[in-house]
């Protein structure tokens, strides 16, 4: 719930439990993202109060000293690599890696060569290649070597998504990258370096893509915004399914 903390739904009892900062249970009521890691910890990123996680009913915060040193109060996305390292993407201060010993390492535009420190989304489906969406393009980091590279066209070495605001990234069961932007959706084949751009001009119902997912039939669904005709100032959304079984 936006600005009101967390809501836990118990399917067996069919009811909600609300958790808020007012109860001194969590450090922030403004939750931006969540992620469940391999240890069963449920991570949350907040707007203004850093990252914290829940494990066995107890909430724990990332050490305040780290947050003050590295400016990771505003966490927009969280993921994990194959070694159990937790990656935090911040709104304006780059990327931070929290390793298994509790140490944090920053990866900012000054260190990596990225065009911005504004991180919008992560995808690390294979546990090694961390795809990084930003407000100015898409990058890939090898989490073993920590090298960052661009997504290249099969005809050139240019960054396909340079200066494109990336809203979301989803890697499907075929290994294809689905990239949602403010100007439609792109499907990228990492093996052939081919790219297909989808927009309202060729079938999408909306060019602003907020989220992407896949069902068991390999159909892709995307979340698009729409405005309620009775509340024109209120931006909501809906899921739309597309079936593209053989793109490449």
């Amino acid at each position: 719930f936006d600005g009101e903390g967390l809501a836990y739904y118990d399917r067996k009892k069919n009811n909600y439990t609300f958790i808020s900062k007012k109860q001194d249970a969590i450090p922030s009521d403004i939750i931006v993202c969540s992620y469940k890691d391999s240890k069963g910890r449920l991570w949350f990123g907040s707007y203004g109060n850093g990252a914290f996680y829940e494990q066995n009913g107890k909430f724990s915060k990332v050490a305040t000293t780290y947050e003050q040193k590295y400016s990771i109060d505003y966490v927009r996305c969280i993921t994990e690599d194959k070694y159990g390292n937790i990656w935090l993407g911040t709104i304006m201060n780059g990327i931070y890696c929290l390793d298994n010993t509790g140490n944090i390492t920053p990866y900012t535009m000054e260190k990596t060569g990225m065009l911005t420190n504004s991180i919008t989304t992560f995808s690390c489906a294979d546990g090694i290649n961390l795809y990084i969406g930003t407000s100015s393009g898409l990058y890939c980091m090898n989490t073993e070597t920590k090298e960052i590279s661009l997504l290249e066209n099969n005809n050139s070495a240019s960054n396909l998504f340079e200066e494109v605001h990336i809203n979301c990234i989803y890697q499907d069961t075929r290994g294809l990258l689905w990239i949602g932007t403010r100007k439609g959706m792109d499907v990228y084949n990492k093996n052939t370096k081919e790219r297909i751009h989808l927009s309202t001009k060729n079938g999408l119902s909306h060019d602003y893509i907020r989220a992407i997912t896949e069902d068991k039939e390999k159909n892709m669904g995307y979340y698009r915004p729409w405005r309620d005709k009775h509340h024109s100032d209120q931006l909501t959304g809906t899921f739309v399914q597309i079936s593209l079984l053989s793109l490449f």
Side-chain angles (χ1 to χ4, degrees), residues 228-248:
D228 188 320
K229 64 180 180 180
H230 300 296
H231 303 86
S232 59
D233 60 334
Q234 184 176 5
L235 193 64
T236 56
T238 186
F239 266 102
V240 179
Q241 188 184 71
I242 54 179
S243 180
L244 293 170
L245 298 181
S246 182
L247 283 169
F248 298 95

Side-chain angles (χ1 to χ4, degrees), residues 94-107:
I95 302 168
Y96 295 85
C97 178
L98 175 64
D99 66 26
N100 289 310
T101 65
N103 292 318
I104 288 183
T105 304
Y107 295 91

Side-chain angles (χ1 to χ4, degrees), residues 105-138:
T105 304
Y107 295 91
T108 61
M109 58 188 294
E110 294 78 14
K111 183 176 181 179
T112 64
M114 293 189 299
L115 294 177
T116 179
N117 278 328
S118 179
I119 310 302
T120 57
T121 185
F122 282 148
S123 176
C124 193
D126 63 1
I128 298 176
N129 294 298
L130 174 63
Y131 291 94
I132 305 162
T134 75
S135 61
S136 297
L138 179 60

